[in-house]
Structures are given as C-alpha cells and as structure tokens.
Amino acid sequence: MKSIIFYCDTHGKAALITALIHLGMISRNTTTVKELLQLTWWRRVAQLPPGQLLEIGCDQQGNRVFILWVDRDKQLLPKLAVSFSEALNKETDWQFVDALPQKNGWINTARFLSAIAGHNYLTHRLFLQGFTKLPATAPI
C-alpha cells in the first residue's frame, strides 16, 4: 500500500477537489461550483496549517489518500521527499501529485483578492469557478 499525497498552494482547495475526484466521490465533468461550495470538507481544510497532512480516505487500490497545503515553493516538496528517502536509504511508497499544475484568470483573481481581503466566500467562489474551467488532468 502506498500513500498518494495531493498538494497545492491554494490553502488545500485544489488538493481537496482533486483527491475527491481521484476517490470517485465527485465527478470532474458534472460537479458544479454550487455543489463544490456545499462540500462539508471545507471547514476542516480551512483549519489545516501549511505542511500538515489530512487523510481523505483510501482509493480502490487500497492506497491512502492525503491532502497537503504547501504555503510557498510547491516545486520543492517532491524533491524534498526524494531527498528524505535517499537519506534514509529506504524506498518510500509516497506519490506526490500537484493538484494545481496550471492556473487561469479566475484563480489568479481569487488569489489577488484573498491577499488583500483574506479568504472569504467571494474568493472561494472565484477560485472554484476557475478550477472548474481548467482542463482535466490525467488520472493517477
């Protein structure tokens, strides 16, 4: 059994949605922004500090699925994980998945506004609007 860790630099939002899609709990093609806003996971994710893992569940292959919010420099995370496994002389069963490899105008606007006004309903909705417009990434 391995651990799949979905990570992002958007306060865990993209990581949560991508993990739930991976688990088959929501559908990328049919879930609306309104439905995403109603997810009960948002309160737990809002309390998640950067660098702390939150277990979401297990997928059909028995892999444990986690989300992780990395505050800055998300490209460093996979390199750091490889360095730790090499330093321990041990092969790890971690798979890191960037949940937000690309952004669009909606997401950039949400990030800009959240830097000014904080995280609120408007910035959350703008982010989700942008996320649903991104092309689907390849399955794991």
Side-chain angles (χ1 to χ4, degrees):
M1 175 168 68
K2 66 180 173 181
S3 296
I4 302 172
I5 301 167
F6 292 92
Y7 66 95
C8 69
D9 58 355
T10 56
H11 295 273
K13 294 175 192 161
L16 174 65
I17 297 168
T18 307
L20 293 176
I21 291 169
H22 173 76
L23 292 171
M25 294 177 166
I26 60 175
S27 170
R28 173 84 182 183
N29 300 324
T30 59
T31 304
T32 65
V33 171
K34 185 176 179 179
E35 292 168 333
L36 289 174
L37 284 167
Q38 295 172 352
L39 289 174
T40 59
W41 283 91
W42 293 126
R43 286 189 182 97
R44 291 181 69 191
V45 171
Q47 298 171 357
L48 188 67
Q52 182 178 343
L53 291 173
L54 176 63
E55 187 167 5
I56 300 298
C58 289
D59 65 11
Q60 293 177 347
Q61 292 78 30
N63 301 315
R64 295 174 70 190
V65 176
F66 297 88
I67 64 168
L68 174 66
W69 166 35
V70 285
D71 195 16
R72 293 189 173 85
D73 199 8
K74 67 180 181 173
Q75 290 78 20
L76 179 64
L77 183 65
K79 295 174 187 173
L80 185 60
V82 169
S83 298
F84 275 126
S85 63
E86 288 175 0
L88 297 171
N89 292 325
K90 184 177 176 182
E91 196 63 33
T92 62
D93 290 332
W94 299 341
Q95 180 180 356
F96 287 89
V97 179
D98 185 352
L100 194 63
Q102 54 189 335
K103 297 173 180 71
N104 58 25
W106 290 95
I107 292 171
N108 292 334
T109 302
R111 294 182 86 156
F112 175 75
L113 290 175
S114 67
I116 295 170
H119 300 284
N120 55 42
Y121 178 80
L122 175 63
T123 60
H124 187 61
R125 185 173 182 82
L126 286 172
F127 170 80
L128 294 175
Q129 186 71 35
F131 188 85
T132 58
K133 298 198 180 310
L134 290 175
T137 56
I140 296 170

